[in-house]
Amino acid sequence: MANTATVDELGHSPEVRGKNYLNQTAGVWSWLTTVDHKRIGIMYLVSVLVGFGLGGIFALLVRLELLTAKKTIMDASQYNQAFTLHGAAMVFLFIIPSIPASLGNFFLPLMIGAKDVAFPRLNLLSLYLYWIGAIFMLAAIVTGGVDTGWTFYVPYASGVSTTSVISATFGVFVMGFSSILTGLNFIVTLHKLRAPGMSWYRMPLFLWSLYATSIIQVLATPVLGITLLLLIFERAFHIGIFDPTLGGDPVLFQHFFWFYSHPAVYIMILPGMGVATEILATNARRRVFGYKAIAFSSVAIALVSFLVWGHHMFVSGQSELSSAIFSFLTFFVAIPSGVKMFNWLGTLWGGSIRFTVPMLYGIAFLFLFAIGGLTGLFLGMLSVDLHLHDTYFVVAHFHYVMMGSTAIAFFGGLHHWWPKMTGKMYDEKLARVGFALTFIGFNWTFFTQFILGTRGMPRRYYNYLDQFQPLHAFSTYGSWVLGTGFLITFICLARSLKTGAPAPADPWGGATLEWKTASPPITENFEKAPIVTLDAYERPAEETA
Amino acid sequence: MSTSHAEHDHGHGSGNGDHVPHVLPFKVYIGTFSTLLFLTVVTVGASYVDLGHMGNLIVALLIATIKASVVALIFMHLKWDHKFHAIIFVSALIFLAVFIGITMSDTQFRGEAEAIEGKNPVDLKDPFKGERTGDIAVPKAVAAPAAAGSAAPAAGSAAPAATPAKH
Ligand code: HEM
Ligand SMILES: [Cu+2]
C-alpha cells in the first residue's frame, strides 16, 4: 500500500483519524436509524445477549427444580413453561441470530473489503423484525406463558394447551423473516461486493460458512413460517391440518417442523465452525490446512442437512421405510463434519500456537464438537435411538453441539473480535477465569446428562425416580459453575469498555482484512477500497521472513 | 415454437443492469396458448381412460408438468434469461420434490410392520378400537403406575396422549 507522509499505516488520512463508527454521530436516534452494518451488528449483539440472559435465567430455574426428585421451587405447569421458554429463547432469540446477525453483520463486509452489505436498509429492517418478533414472544410470556416445548408439537399446541401459543409462534414467524432477509443480504453481498482481487477462494472461511448458512436460511425458513401459520390457523379457526380430531395428521407437523429445524441446527453450527476456523488460523499463525475442503464441506453440510430431518421422528409413528431411509442418510452428515475436524487438526499441526483467550475457546470448540457430533451418530442409529429418544442423552447431545460448540465459538469470536468492535482490550486474566469456569461447568452439567439418559431418565419430566436424584443434583451444581463462568465473562467484557487499554488495529497478528483497518473501524470501513493480492490467511512475505 | 431467437441470446441477461424486454413474435404466443389448450383437452380426455389410480395420477402430473414448463420457458421467458436464473428455478423445484417425496416415504408406507399403525384413529379416546392385534399390549384395568408417572412430556410424542383406560 502506498504510504505517503499524510497517510498512516492503515491508509487513513488525517481527516478520518480518531473518527470511527461509534463516535461519528451520537444519540439514540442515530443508532435506531443507522444503516451501518457495524452498528446494526452491535445492536444485534446486545439483543442476542439479552436473549441469552433470559434463556439462561430459565435454564437455571429448570436445573434448580430438578435438584430434588419432587417439587423443589415450582409446580408442574410452571416447570413446563420454564423449559419451553428456556428452549424457545435460546433457539430463536439467541442461537439462530447469534453469530450471523451480530458477528457476521459486523465482519462480513469488513472481511471482503466492502463498505457495507448489499442492502443496508433491508439489514436494518431485519433487525426491526427481530425486535418485533421478540416482543411477541415476550408478550406470550407475560400473557400466560407457553408450555408446548420449543418444538410446538401438535395436537397439544394446536388444540390442548391453554397458554399463549399463538403469540409465541407468531413471534417466531416474524423472526423467521428477519433470518431470511439477513441470509439474502449476505448471499448478494458475497456475490456482488467483494473487493478487487478478493476471489471466492481468497475469502476467509468464516464467510464460506456464512454463505452456506445463508442458503439454509433462505431455503428452509419459509417452511417454518408456513408451518407455524398453519398451526396458528388450526388453533384459532379449527382448520383441520394436523389435529386428528379435525381430520389432520400430527406426524405431518413433525415433518414440516423438522424440515426446517434440522437444517436450522446447521444454521446454528456452521457459523460457529467458521468462527472457530478464524480463531485457529490466527492463533496457530498458519494458513488453514485444506482450505477448499473446509469451504466445500460447509456447502455440503448445508445441502445434506435437508435430507435427514426424519431422524427426529423415529418413534413418532412415521413409516418404518421412512425411518430406515432417514437413519441411512443421517450418517452422510458425519462426512463433511469429519472433513472439517481433520482439517482443523491439520491446521494446528506444526503451527506456532499461542494460547490467547480466543484460542482457548477455539480448542474447547474442537473438543466439545467432537463429543456433540459423535453422539449425534449414536442417535442417528435407528435401533439405538429407539432407546435414547426423548431421554437426557438427547438433551446432552444437543447441548454439546448448541451450547458446547456454537455458543463457545460465539464467545470465542466475541473475545477474538472484541478489540476490533469496541477498540478496547479486556483483562486477559479475568477472561481466562471466565473461560475456565464456563468450560468446566459446561462439562460438569451436561456430561452428567449423557449418563442420566443412558440410564433411562426421560426428557421434560417434572418429577423423576429417586435413583436419578444424585446425578440430577450433580448436574445442577455444574449449572451454577457454568452460570458463574458466564457472569465473570460478561463482567470482564463490560469492564473493558470503561477501563480497557486502547486496542491496536491488529492485536493478534491476524491475516484477514478486518485487521487492516482501525479499531474500531471508521464508518466507511476502509478509506480506500483495498486491493487484495494475497490468498486467504497468507501473510505478506516480509512478515514471515 | 423455438423460432430464430438465437440472436436474442446475447445482450440479454449479460448482467448489464438495464433489462431490455424480450419480445417474441405474436404467433409464438398464440402457438403456446393453443398448445396449453390442447394439453388441457388431453388431461380431460385421459381422465376417462382407466389406467389405475397410480397410472392416471402419473399421466395427469406429466401433462401438468409439460404445461408448467411451457409457461415458465416461453411465457415467463426463462428460456432466454440468464442461465443462473434457470438453475435457481429448477433447484427450487428439486427442493420441493425432495420435501414432498421423502415425506411420502412416510405417509404412503405406514403400517407395513403393524397394519393398524397405518390407520388414522377414528376415536381418539380409544384409537385402536377393536383392532388390537399381536403384540400390542392391552393394559389391564386402570394402569395406576403409568398414570402417576406420565406428567405428559409436552412434546415427546405426537400421539394424542392415548390413554386406553377403558379396556
Ligand atoms: C454429526 C452431526 C449430527 C447428527 C448425526 C445428529 C443427530 C441427531 C439425532 C438423530 C437427533 C434426534 C434424537 C432424538 O430425538 O431421539 C438429534 C437431536 C438434536 N440435535 Fe443433533 N445431530 C448432529 C448435530 C447437531 C448439531 C450441530 C446441532 C445444533 C447445533 C444439533 C442439535 C440437535 C437438537 C437441538 C436436537 C434435539 C431437538 C429436540 O428434540 O428438541 N445436532 N440429533
Ligand atoms: Cu437433526
Side-chain angles (χ1 to χ4, degrees):
Chain A
M1 295 217 170
N3 276 6
T4 69
T6 49
V7 179
D8 66 8
E9 73 279 9
L10 296 168
H12 291 337
S13 59
E15 295 87 73
V16 304
R17 234 167 279 164
K19 280 195 194 143
N20 61 51
Y21 79 100
L22 292 169
N23 64 15
Q24 185 93 3
T25 51
V28 179
W29 190 244
S30 81
W31 279 79
L32 289 180
T33 56
T34 185
V35 287
D36 182 346
H37 67 102
K38 297 184 288 303
R39 285 190 165 196
I40 294 174
I42 294 289
M43 287 189 278
Y44 258 121
L45 179 64
V46 174
S47 312
V48 299
L49 286 174
V50 171
F52 183 71
L54 189 72
I57 290 170
F58 285 117
L60 290 172
L61 290 175
V62 167
R63 278 305 336 152
L64 188 56
E65 172 52 42
L66 294 172
L67 187 61
T68 66
K70 297 273 148 14
K71 177 176 172 167
T72 314
I73 52 161
M74 54 179 102
D75 65 31
S77 74
Q78 285 168 334
Y79 176 78
N80 285 349
Q81 299 197 12
F83 79 66
T84 300
L85 293 171
H86 161 64
M90 285 300 194
V91 170
F92 298 114
L93 289 178
F94 171 63
I95 202 166
I96 288 184
S98 64
I99 295 177
S102 65
L103 300 177
N105 240 326
F106 198 106
F107 288 103
L108 183 141
L110 280 168
M111 286 175 132
I112 57 171
K115 277 202 162 101
D116 207 317
V117 290
F119 307 118
R121 287 198 176 78
L122 204 62
N123 203 14
L124 186 64
L125 175 65
S126 93
L127 174 64
Y128 278 98
L129 287 175
Y130 169 85
W131 281 340
I132 293 171
I135 288 172
F136 274 99
M137 281 194 65
L138 294 179
I141 298 181
V142 211
T143 60
V146 202
D147 66 351
T148 60
W150 75 278
T151 47
F152 306 116
Y153 273 14
V154 293
Y156 186 74
S158 67
V160 182
S161 172
T162 52
T163 55
S164 305
V165 181
I166 291 183
S167 177
T169 45
F170 188 70
V172 174
F173 174 78
V174 174
M175 272 186 265
F177 282 94
S178 153
S179 190
I180 294 170
L181 295 184
T182 302
L184 195 68
N185 221 335
F186 284 2
I187 291 178
V188 178
T189 308
L190 289 178
H191 273 274
K192 295 287 181 195
L193 296 187
R194 281 173 285 121
M198 174 63 77
S199 64
W200 283 95
Y201 294 135
R202 278 182 173 167
M203 285 187 342
L205 284 161
F206 178 44
L207 303 186
W208 274 93
S209 76
L210 284 179
Y211 188 70
T213 308
S214 303
I215 294 177
I216 309 181
Q217 283 176 310
V218 170
L219 282 179
T221 316
V223 180
L224 176 76
I226 291 164
T227 311
L228 293 177
L229 223 49
L230 290 176
L231 172 63
I232 291 171
F233 282 155
E234 181 162 291
R235 190 172 165 87
F237 310 117
H238 304 287
I239 297 168
I241 299 153
F242 304 126
D243 188 342
T245 48
L246 303 170
D249 179 351
V251 180
L252 198 62
F253 177 85
Q254 297 191 25
H255 280 295
F256 276 49
F257 183 81
W258 289 113
F259 185 79
Y260 164 77
S261 290
H262 181 79
V265 308
Y266 294 97
I267 295 179
M268 306 172 194
I269 194 74
L270 279 167
M273 292 169 158
V275 171
T277 312
E278 297 305 317
I279 293 176
L280 296 176
T282 304
N283 291 286
R285 297 190 63 78
R286 281 197 62 194
R287 288 171 74 176
V288 168
F289 181 83
Y291 175 93
K292 284 193 184 172
I294 294 189
F296 285 118
S297 61
S298 289
V299 180
I301 287 180
L303 296 181
V304 178
S305 75
F306 282 107
L307 307 177
V308 302
W309 75 86
H311 64 211
H312 295 270
M313 304 166 54
F314 288 152
V315 304
S316 69
Q318 77 178 351
S319 77
E320 290 79 12
L321 176 72
S322 227
S323 290
I325 292 175
F326 279 122
S327 178
F328 176 75
L329 290 175
T330 295
F331 294 109
F332 282 98
V333 181
I335 298 172
S337 307
V339 166
K340 279 185 190 290
M341 201 70 191
F342 288 117
N343 282 295
W344 286 324
L345 296 179
T347 304
L348 295 183
W349 183 265
S352 61
I353 297 175
R354 283 169 313 173
F355 292 97
T356 60
V357 176
M359 188 59 165
L360 296 178
Y361 281 95
I363 291 173
F365 170 89
L366 292 184
F367 181 73
L368 299 175
F369 179 67
I371 298 179
L374 286 175
T375 50
L377 291 180
F378 294 28
L379 297 171
M381 183 67 145
L382 181 48
S383 54
V384 178
D385 187 65
L386 292 186
H387 300 277
L388 292 178
H389 177 71
D390 264 341
T391 68
Y392 262 76
F393 192 91
V394 175
V395 178
H397 155 69
F398 67 70
H399 280 92
Y400 264 81
V401 273
M402 307 205 326
M403 170 91 210
S405 312
T406 304
I408 286 288
F410 172 70
F411 283 102
L414 202 54
H415 284 87
H416 184 61
W417 283 309
W418 188 262
K420 179 59 62 183
M421 292 191 289
T422 63
K424 297 288 170 133
M425 298 303 287
Y426 45 82
D427 178 352
E428 283 253 342
K429 276 218 189 78
L430 194 59
R432 274 168 209 276
V433 174
F435 165 78
L437 289 178
T438 305
F439 184 73
I440 295 169
F442 172 78
N443 286 290
W444 182 339
T445 309
F446 291 105
F447 201 85
T448 315
Q449 300 185 0
F450 279 126
I451 305 170
L452 273 171
T454 50
R455 296 191 177 174
M457 172 67 210
R459 168 186 185 192
R460 293 177 171 172
Y461 271 40
Y462 168 66
N463 288 345
Y464 53 83
L465 300 178
D466 287 331
Q467 69 205 60
F468 297 126
Q469 202 273 331
L471 282 173
H472 263 308
F474 189 71
S475 178
T476 299
Y477 302 145
S479 72
W480 298 340
V481 176
L482 181 57
T484 313
F486 278 126
L487 200 63
I488 291 178
T489 301
F490 284 127
I491 291 173
C492 169
L493 291 177
R495 230 182 44 172
S496 80
L497 293 177
K498 272 232 156 100
T499 61
D506 182 7
W508 320 115
T512 38
L513 275 184
E514 78 272 28
W515 304 114
K516 307 256 180 310
T517 183
S519 298
I522 58 172
T523 300
E524 300 78 14
N525 292 346
F526 303 94
E527 207 179 353
K528 277 205 205 77
I531 297 170
V532 182
T533 54
L534 299 174
D535 278 353
Y537 310 110
E538 185 181 351
R539 287 159 214 275
E542 73 271 18
E543 213 182 289
T544 41
Chain B
M1 253 171 276
S2 63
T3 45
S4 56
H5 284 287
E7 72 270 16
H8 288 278
D9 280 353
H10 46 248
H12 202 64
S14 47
N16 52 3
D18 284 326
H19 206 77
V20 189
H22 180 266
V23 186
L24 288 173
F26 191 58
K27 62 175 195 263
V28 177
Y29 289 114
I30 295 291
T32 314
F33 181 58
S34 20
T35 312
L36 290 173
L37 282 184
F38 173 71
L39 286 173
T40 306
V41 174
V42 176
T43 311
V44 175
S47 72
Y48 287 99
V49 187
D50 190 3
L51 302 168
H53 179 63
M54 261 322 216
N56 279 93
L57 196 65
I58 288 171
V59 169
L61 282 178
L62 216 64
I63 300 172
T65 310
I66 297 173
K67 281 161 67 179
S69 313
V70 168
V71 171
L73 285 173
I74 295 166
F75 280 165
M76 291 166 68
H77 291 249
L78 213 53
K79 195 163 171 230
W80 298 275
D81 204 332
H82 205 294
K83 278 275 182 310
F84 185 68
H85 296 159
I87 295 176
I88 298 285
F89 188 78
V90 173
S91 336
L93 293 178
I94 295 176
F95 186 72
L96 191 66
V98 164
F99 181 29
I100 295 179
I102 306 187
T103 300
M104 281 172 74
S105 80
D106 166 26
T107 52
Q108 301 305 109
F109 295 91
R110 281 185 200 161
E112 301 226 308
E114 195 71 64
I116 59 169
E117 286 179 3
K119 295 189 180 168
N120 286 335
V122 191
D123 178 3
L124 283 181
K125 291 266 159 49
D126 192 2
F128 301 123
K129 192 170 200 157
E131 292 194 73
R132 286 171 192 287
T133 52
D135 58 358
I136 295 182
V138 182
K140 299 270 172 339
V142 188
S150 68
S157 64
T163 42
K166 277 178 216 107
H167 267 269

